[in-house]
Amino acid sequence: MNYPNGKKPSQQLKKVGSSRTSFSNRGMTLEEDINETNLFYLHSNKAIIHKKPTPVQIVKVDYPKRSAAVIKEGYFKQASTTDYNGIYRERYIDFEAKETKNKTSFPLANIHEHQISHMLSICNHGGICFMIIRFAVHDETFFVPAVKLFPYWESQYNGGKKSIPYNKIKEAGELIPFKYQARVDYLTIIDQLYF
Amino acid sequence: MNYPNGKKPSQQLKKVGSSRTSFSNRGMTLEEDINETNLFYLHSNKAIIHKKPTPVQIVKVDYPKRSAAVIKEGYFKQASTTDYNGIYRERYIDFEAKETKNKTSFPLANIHEHQISHMLSICNHGGICFMIIRFAVHDETFFVPAVKLFPYWESQYNGGKKSIPYNKIKEAGELIPFKYQARVDYLTIIDQLYF
């Protein structure tokens, strides 16, 4: 897999640090912000949304006496679904979150084919499915409904671009408000778009 | 945590082998049967239900040149939710699966407090939440709605039993039919109970 900036996805989620001009995010990664938001939703009983654990292929495990089992050899597996799912207002919620340092576009190499298939199925089964895309340099986080992504995904195989321009994301998506307790308050967007 | 037969939950899911009197399950574990069932549901576009990856605390990772990252030290974490979730007929589905070798009762030590809290929340938010419990010796697999479990869970703290008698599970639950392609065909029970 060829990542746009030569980095692995996990590295792309790392904090941007001093390049940030706004203090609103205090250098937290998108993943950290979403996890905090989900915890706030959970504790305030608004929604039950969890990040799925990173899938690991476990090859070798040691069982030392009187202490916990230790994984001695394991490998990262590619996730076959999106990272987050759960329930909100009786509806099934499913999404993926990606952060990019790119200023002008979101590279489609950030998404995998099977994630797109999964999102398409979720839409067909009546779930609420979307992506949260952060442009770190602009310090903007967008809620992009999955149905708005599919045409861009398809067009790359028909001579189209390998990325979605920033201004198209701005058009297709909704800017997610930053709040103190819900740092990426995506439920407010779900309220607007789906209820 | 004190497991009833001195084994860890993962070991309890291992196959029963020659003690089985029926050929229907061919020595497959409940987890394997459910994974196959979910794959059948997925491929036939009936439902999208996945098992969550085992949560692992990764401590040390090696990055050898020209090959995949290797996890050199990791530990198993306790799951904070149930193992399976997804969407069926536009509804949010959430369940846990446990197999016991016990003949006369299902030991509550197989479930964790935070899993019960999670299931309670899912019910309150309008999800379809249940447990799949297999009595390996009887070769019977039951669908037990979460709401039927809660009273047993509560009563153990008020001098009640630390297990649910087999005959009570039979009363509270529904026997899940075994089918060739859907080895644990729990969606048929969901159709009966929730639609």
Side-chain angles (χ1 to χ4, degrees):
Chain A
M1 186 61 68
N2 186 25
Y3 294 104
N5 51 9
K7 291 188 179 173
K8 294 173 192 160
S10 59
Q11 291 174 289
Q12 291 185 345
L13 285 172
K14 288 284 175 296
K15 62 180 179 177
V16 180
S18 56
S19 70
R20 280 274 171 82
T21 49
S22 155
F23 285 94
S24 64
N25 270 298
R26 299 180 200 159
M28 283 176 84
T29 65
L30 178 57
E31 184 178 322
E32 287 165 341
D33 280 347
I34 292 175
N35 289 347
E36 279 209 4
T37 301
N38 287 342
L39 216 53
F40 170 70
Y41 290 158
L42 190 68
H43 291 160
S44 56
N45 202 28
K46 281 197 80 172
I48 308 166
I49 310 212
H50 288 276
K51 183 176 189 295
K52 292 180 196 171
T54 306
V56 167
Q57 174 80 45
I58 295 160
V59 175
K60 198 180 148 199
V61 182
D62 269 12
Y63 297 94
K65 279 182 188 165
R66 290 168 219 273
S67 58
V70 190
I71 297 160
K72 286 292 191 180
E73 188 185 348
Y75 298 91
F76 295 100
K77 287 196 292 185
Q78 206 173 66
S80 53
T81 64
T82 47
D83 270 356
Y84 302 86
N85 76 355
I87 186 168
Y88 176 57
R89 294 177 71 176
E90 310 200 354
R91 295 285 299 273
Y92 176 83
I93 305 295
D94 195 301
F95 65 97
E96 184 64 35
K98 293 289 179 198
E99 185 161 0
T100 182
K101 289 180 181 173
N102 204 304
K103 284 179 199 178
T104 54
S105 68
F106 174 75
L108 289 167
N110 278 302
I111 323 175
H112 304 296
E113 175 72 45
H114 49 257
Q115 287 180 319
I116 291 286
S117 315
H118 173 76
M119 290 194 275
L120 197 57
S121 290
I122 295 298
C123 292
N124 290 337
H125 282 262
I128 293 176
C129 191
F130 55 95
M131 264 193 83
I132 294 180
I133 297 175
R134 175 174 287 174
F135 285 90
V137 177
H138 302 297
D139 201 8
E140 286 175 333
T141 308
F142 294 96
F143 180 113
V144 186
V147 287
K148 303 271 183 94
L149 287 173
F150 302 143
Y152 290 101
W153 183 264
E154 279 306 309
S155 82
Q156 70 176 323
Y157 299 112
N158 304 313
K161 286 185 179 171
K162 304 276 183 228
S163 63
I164 311 175
Y166 166 72
N167 66 324
K168 293 291 178 189
I169 299 246
K170 252 186 137 150
E171 266 175 48
E174 304 287 330
L175 192 63
I176 302 177
F178 172 88
K179 289 180 190 163
Y180 180 68
Q181 287 183 295
R183 304 177 64 83
V184 185
D185 194 14
Y186 59 89
L187 293 186
T188 57
I189 310 293
I190 292 181
D191 287 338
Q192 287 166 32
L193 297 183
Y194 301 91
F195 289 96
Chain B
M1 186 61 71
N2 186 26
Y3 294 103
N5 52 9
K7 292 186 176 174
K8 292 173 193 162
S10 60
Q11 291 175 289
Q12 292 185 342
L13 285 172
K14 289 286 176 292
K15 64 180 176 177
V16 181
S18 56
S19 70
R20 280 275 171 83
T21 49
S22 154
F23 285 94
S24 64
N25 270 299
R26 298 180 202 160
M28 283 175 84
T29 65
L30 178 58
E31 183 177 325
E32 286 166 342
D33 280 347
I34 293 174
N35 289 347
E36 279 210 5
T37 302
N38 287 343
L39 215 54
F40 170 70
Y41 289 159
L42 190 69
H43 292 159
S44 56
N45 202 28
K46 280 198 79 173
I48 308 165
I49 309 209
H50 288 277
K51 184 178 189 293
K52 292 179 195 170
T54 306
V56 167
Q57 174 79 46
I58 296 160
V59 175
K60 198 179 149 201
V61 182
D62 269 13
Y63 297 93
K65 277 184 188 165
R66 288 168 219 276
S67 57
V70 191
I71 297 160
K72 286 291 192 182
E73 188 185 349
Y75 299 90
F76 294 99
K77 287 195 292 183
Q78 206 173 65
S80 53
T81 65
T82 48
D83 270 357
Y84 301 87
N85 76 355
I87 186 168
Y88 175 57
R89 293 177 71 177
E90 309 200 355
R91 295 286 299 274
Y92 176 83
I93 306 295
D94 195 301
F95 66 97
E96 183 63 35
K98 292 289 178 195
E99 187 162 359
T100 183
K101 289 179 181 173
N102 203 305
K103 285 179 198 178
T104 54
S105 69
F106 175 74
L108 289 167
N110 279 301
I111 322 173
H112 303 296
E113 175 72 46
H114 49 257
Q115 288 180 317
I116 291 285
S117 315
H118 173 76
M119 289 195 274
L120 197 58
S121 290
I122 295 299
C123 291
N124 290 337
H125 281 262
I128 293 175
C129 189
F130 55 95
M131 264 192 83
I132 293 180
I133 297 175
R134 174 174 288 174
F135 284 89
V137 177
H138 302 297
D139 202 6
E140 286 175 332
T141 308
F142 295 95
F143 180 113
V144 186
V147 288
K148 303 270 181 99
L149 287 174
F150 302 143
Y152 290 101
W153 182 264
E154 279 306 308
S155 82
Q156 69 176 325
Y157 299 112
N158 304 314
K161 287 184 177 172
K162 304 276 183 228
S163 64
I164 311 176
Y166 166 70
N167 66 324
K168 293 293 180 189
I169 299 243
K170 251 187 137 150
E171 266 174 48
E174 305 286 330
L175 192 63
I176 302 177
F178 172 88
K179 290 180 189 161
Y180 180 68
Q181 287 182 297
R183 304 177 63 82
V184 184
D185 193 14
Y186 60 88
L187 292 187
T188 58
I189 310 293
I190 293 180
D191 288 339
Q192 287 166 32
L193 296 183
Y194 301 93
F195 289 96

